[in-house]
Amino acid sequence: MSLDEGYTTPDGRKIGAVVMEMKNITLRFGGVVAIENISFDIRQGEIRAIIGPNGAGKSSMLNVINGFYHPQEGEIWYKGAQRQAMKPHAIARQGIARTFQNIALFNGMSTLDNIMTGRLTHMKSSLLMQAIWKGPAEREESEQREKVEKIIDFLEIQSIRKTPVGRLPYGLQKRVELARALAAEPTLLLLDEPMAGMNVEEKEDMSRFILDVNDEFGTTIALIEHDMGVVMDISDRVVVMDYGKKIGDGTPEEVINNQEVIDAYLGVAHD
Amino acid sequence: MLYREAGDYKTTYTEDSQTFPIKLDRIGYYSVLIIAFLVVPFVINDYWANAVLVPFLIYAIAVLGLNILVGYCGQLSLGTGGFMAVGAYACYKLMTGFPDLNIFFCVILAGFVTAAVGMLFGLPSLRIKGFYLAVATLAAQFFLVWLFNKVPWFYNYSASGQISSPERTLGGIAITGPHTEAWAKYLFCLVFVFLLAWLARNLTRGNLGRSWMAIRDMDIAAEIIGVNPLKAKLTAFGVSSFFIGVAGALFFAVYLGAAEVGEAFGIQKSFLILFMVIIGGLGSIFGSFAGAAFLVLLPVLLKNVLVGGLGWQTDIAAHLEFVIVGGLIITFLILEPHGLAQLWRIIKEKLRLWPFPH
Ligand SMILES: Nc1ncnc2c1ncn2[C@@H]1O[C@H](COP(=O)(O)OP(=O)(O)OP(=O)(O)O)[C@@H](O)[C@H]1O
Ligand SMILES: [Mg+2]
């Protein structure tokens, strides 16, 4: 499992080399230590879960990965090079996309426009070209629209294409947010509780979409999830966090049999 | 019954994203264009040009500009009057400094000068939002008016402190100056309105427009998706100020002929244009026209009906105007932030489905 070349999962998927490596990350907010000296890696093609009780620092970890928070200590290695501190929009261009724990769609826009915005990093026409519109800008818009339509078909949201996202039910909003992130064709997709607040059926749909994305596009996925059933089902390896510390790391079977992990979860249950 | 999209199938993505997807809308649009360009110039008189049409056209440009900034990009500005003044003074300096320069280019260049100034004053938007940004732009408003009053170079050291536009012609026809005919003023402004509305539509329909709206709706998510906030906000300030500068140049050179900065481009102008944006509809091109038309026509209408028809006193009619505008602003802000444009959309939606909603 520690081979540099990667490993093969029990269901026969090939997992590649490390794409993202967090080394000794520490993140503080004033006196609060949100992340304390955590290291872990994410491999190409993997579905990597991050779990832990509320306030463990999971969302903060995703925020560090996509550059929204800058850790006080530690190194981030991405695609074989150490990443310097940079703005989130520059990191988006390096192929990292995400969804949010609390839905963060653009409410004044339609489903289609939200997803088209996700393709922003792939669009090149200048202000002048867009001002003229006819020609390159219009052509680019059509080409990108074609790509977006594929994602719309993939996530089965054809019927809400033109609906303002604010009017959609919660479950569909989550799906549109996934579509918007997918539109970027990311190397690494970060999902912050993609199934929170969903019923069993919606969770099954979402799990299927996540597995399909990973399978069809080879997208590497890091996701935060509270539902242990889902985590066991879809993830290849799991990082467990508690109070900002890493208390477990391994396959789902390994971590649920880890005494420290069991204690953390039982401890929370009795709180 | 007639207003339908059924049978009007879209077979390409380009067709699907055209400006007027419904045939009747397209017919309406072309009819308006034909009337505006080919009929009105022949029937227009001084009263209609000066009281209604020319101010409407010029305000429409300013409202489009402010709507790009406030309605599309979500950055509140109270500096519109000041930026119009920049356009006006830039145009004046260009007209007097380069007498051979075509008036058309004077106006366009004035727009570019204003765009640069607007971007400069837009810089604080990278750090501050909402109310604080509004206060910063308000400071810009007062600073600019003060500057144009204080530095005599801007008004060519004229004794009155006013600027007045010399006569400039286009193909032998006077566009500015006292001998300009109503139709020439109207047509000159109309060309700008047509070009700039087309520009506004193009800039808001694609990539740039979506990055503005993304910043407006959820700036953190926008940045994480790859929108560069610096670029999005500064382009919004630049484009918006370009429009407003052109409007200021036209307002001074073509409409007023002579202007004193505090009077023509004071804070009340900033509010008037903001009200037009709100009443017309935030983030709507059609709404920009509706808002400008509404607030240009309302005082004319009140004056004709109340003062002319019922014999009221002018000041009472003027006060009633304040009450009506104030009431409408509150109503729209509370009930329908997307303004007249949204009301129009709802009516169309009803029409489209009527009489069988399914
Ligand atoms: N911007 C911030 N400023 C101050 N403290 C913060 C900030 N963001 C997170 N924290 C703190 O860091 C800790 C970890 O928060 P985080 O949101 O990462 O937890 P989480 O594991 O995602 O929890 P949950 O399961 O509830 O989403 C918490 O104590 C939180 O209060
Ligand atoms: Mg969280």
Side-chain angles (χ1 to χ4, degrees), chain A residues 178 194-195 198 202-210:
Chain A
L178 176 62
M195 288 165 237
M198 287 188 169
E202 287 173 321
K203 278 187 185 178
E204 278 171 4
D205 279 343
M206 189 53 97
S207 301
R208 180 166 55 85
F209 286 133
I210 291 172

Side-chain angles (χ1 to χ4, degrees), chain A residues 108 130-131 138 141-142 145, chain B residues 14 16 202 207-208 210 217:
Chain A
Q130 291 183 65
E138 187 172 45
E141 182 89 357
S142 291
R145 172 78 187 270
Chain B
T14 309
D16 190 44
N202 287 348
N207 206 10
L208 188 64
R210 283 189 296 266
D217 286 346

Side-chain angles (χ1 to χ4, degrees), chain A residues 111-132:
Chain A
T111 298
L112 180 62
D113 278 336
N114 267 276
I115 305 172
M116 284 293 280
T117 312
R119 281 209 69 77
L120 199 94
T121 48
H122 295 265
M123 297 183 79
K124 290 175 193 71
S125 50
S126 64
L127 190 143
L128 195 65
M129 284 179 195
Q130 291 183 65
I132 298 164

Side-chain angles (χ1 to χ4, degrees), chain A residues 27-30 32-35 52-61 63 68-69 101 192-193 224 226 241 244:
Chain A
L27 175 74
R28 283 183 287 264
F29 297 104
V32 181
V33 185
I35 300 175
N54 292 109
K58 307 179 295 295
S59 296
S60 301
M61 184 57 89
N63 282 330
F68 192 64
Y69 291 158
Q101 184 166 356
D192 197 343
E193 304 199 14
I224 297 175
H226 279 296
M241 291 176 69

Side-chain angles (χ1 to χ4, degrees), chain A residues 66 68 88-89 92-93 104 106-108 113 116-117 120 123 130-133 138 141-142 145 149 162 180, chain B residues 13-14 16 198-199 202-203 205-208 210 213-214 216-218 220-221 223-229:
Chain A
N66 71 11
F68 192 64
H89 64 84
R93 280 172 201 278
F106 306 126
N107 276 330
D113 278 336
M116 284 293 280
T117 312
L120 199 94
M123 297 183 79
Q130 291 183 65
I132 298 164
W133 192 251
E138 187 172 45
E141 182 89 357
S142 291
R145 172 78 187 270
E149 287 294 334
K162 298 275 168 94
R180 185 180 67 183
Chain B
Y13 294 133
T14 309
D16 190 44
W198 174 77
L199 193 70
N202 287 348
L203 288 175
R205 73 197 300 187
N207 206 10
L208 188 64
R210 283 189 296 266
M213 290 188 274
R216 172 196 69 190
D217 286 346
M218 185 75 72
I220 291 172
E223 184 169 5
I224 281 166
I225 264 178
V227 177
N228 181 345

Side-chain angles (χ1 to χ4, degrees), chain B residues 192-242:
Chain B
F192 275 100
V193 168
F194 177 75
L195 288 176
L196 291 181
W198 174 77
L199 193 70
R201 162 68 182 151
N202 287 348
L203 288 175
T204 51
R205 73 197 300 187
N207 206 10
L208 188 64
R210 283 189 296 266
S211 63
W212 289 339
M213 290 188 274
I215 289 283
R216 172 196 69 190
D217 286 346
M218 185 75 72
D219 54 357
I220 291 172
E223 184 169 5
I224 281 166
I225 264 178
V227 177
N228 181 345
L230 174 90
K231 209 172 132 196
K233 287 178 183 174
L234 286 190
T235 49
F237 267 96
V239 171
S240 160
S241 305
F242 176 81

